[in-house]
Amino acid sequence: MKLLYFAWMRQKIGRAEEEVAPPPDVATVAQLVAWLRTQSPAHEAAFADTRLVRCAVNQDFAGPDAPVRMGDEVAFFPPVTGG
Amino acid sequence: MARIAVQEADFDVAAEVAALSAGRSDIGGIALFVGTVRADKSADGAPVRAMTLEHYPAMTERALGAIVAEAQARWPLLGCTVIHRVGRLLPGENIVLVATASAHRQAALDAAAFLIDWLKTGAPFWKHEETEAGGRWVEARESDDAAALRWARAGAAAPVNAPDAATAGSTPPPIGVAAAQAARAGAALSEAEHKGPRFVILFLRGGGLWLERRADNDWHALQQSWPGYRTSLGPWLAEDVIAWLDEEYGPSAARAARSRAFAADPAAPTRLEIAPG
């Protein structure tokens, strides 16, 4: 599973992308976040306040209940501020 | 037809406007919005020296395409251009251009306003400001969410292809939760920590207001299953629905109690009438 990070999520994690292989019981975005928090202090800090974190699965905005599977591209980022 | 571009280079406003009407005589009006970098914008008070726009390349043009398609579905546009710059920009430089062409002014003006409101909340761009004090990421503003949401609640002009558009008069178009969802650009992930049944608020033509227990936000399906469907919000948790109703219509202990009882009873019918049409 390919993870992408943008804006301050990228800075807090310390990288723009990474490949991860979460355990098979990780089936949703929320479960993925819970697992990622345990992976390093940087992940824990970046996901500390999930009210500030948004997600896209395969380039579509996705909520916490959205399914994630091996091979997906999952992006995490703050609320968007374009325009 | 639409032109969508994400680029580092500046754009030529006059050339973009001219391109929309070149060689055609059916256009009655072109609305234009150009967003620029403002120097005095920083939240910490220091003047902004530069602004860097980051984006999610694989997703950006797709998200812009979806927003433009939504505008085209709602208004009879004869042309539409959206250009968003990325990279490091200095005060006074252009950030974004939205231009819409239509036979009549109202559609062009409304579509342009809609596009810029949705761009701010539904496309994956992030602004980073540089000041003398350092750098900071611009925070999303609730007022931007509200600006995008107003298109879900009030609508602006009946789109030509909306059901009953010809007879609906000032009836808002059936827009539904797609707008609310786009406005929030994906629900906050913390919502997973508050599990519970979700409800959609339905607005019917004639003024009827209903709740339906429903976890999905498929407004096409809602439109088909509700005669007189006008628009919808959600799906939200019961307390969020009650809070929204209190804010929109004034607090009502009786309405809140009915809504809570409805939400708490899994054996209840899936629909509850809040206000008659």
Side-chain angles (χ1 to χ4, degrees), chain B residues 8 18 30 36 47 60 69 100 117 147 161 174-175 243:
Chain B
E8 291 193 13
I30 295 172
T36 56
T60 314
T100 51
D117 282 347
N161 61 351
I175 294 162

Side-chain angles (χ1 to χ4, degrees), chain B residues 51-77:
Chain B
M51 181 175 277
T52 300
L53 267 292
E54 177 171 332
H55 75 129
Y56 179 3
M59 182 172 171
T60 314
E61 293 205 24
R62 189 166 156 187
L64 293 179
I67 293 167
V68 167
E70 184 74 32
Q72 288 173 320
R74 294 188 190 197
W75 290 279
L77 298 182

Side-chain angles (χ1 to χ4, degrees), chain A residues 4-8 10-11 29-30 33 37 47 49-56 58-65 73-83, chain B residues 53-59 62-63 84 95-96 116 119-128 137-140 184-193 195 198:
Chain A
L4 302 177
Y5 303 107
F6 293 96
W8 56 255
R10 170 174 50 75
Q11 292 177 324
V29 168
V33 169
R37 274 171 160 167
F47 287 102
D49 186 352
T50 48
R51 287 175 305 178
L52 303 177
V53 180
R54 300 293 183 272
C55 178
N58 297 326
Q59 298 94 42
D60 278 325
F61 289 115
D65 300 327
E73 178 175 293
V74 183
F76 292 103
F77 41 79
V80 301
T81 55
Chain B
L53 267 292
E54 177 171 332
H55 75 129
Y56 179 3
M59 182 172 171
R62 189 166 156 187
H84 207 300
I95 303 175
V96 61
I116 196 68
L119 263 178
K120 279 190 169 291
T121 57
F125 293 98
W126 300 274
K127 289 181 179 137
H128 185 265
W137 291 97
V138 174
E139 287 178 23
R184 306 182 65 199
L189 297 182
S190 56
E191 285 181 9
E193 292 159 16
K195 288 293 183 187
R198 292 179 182 250

Side-chain angles (χ1 to χ4, degrees), chain A residues 1 22-32 64-69 72:
Chain A
M1 189 181 295
D25 60 340
V26 169
T28 67
V29 168
Q31 290 163 351
L32 177 62
D65 300 327
V68 292
R69 299 177 191 85
D72 282 348

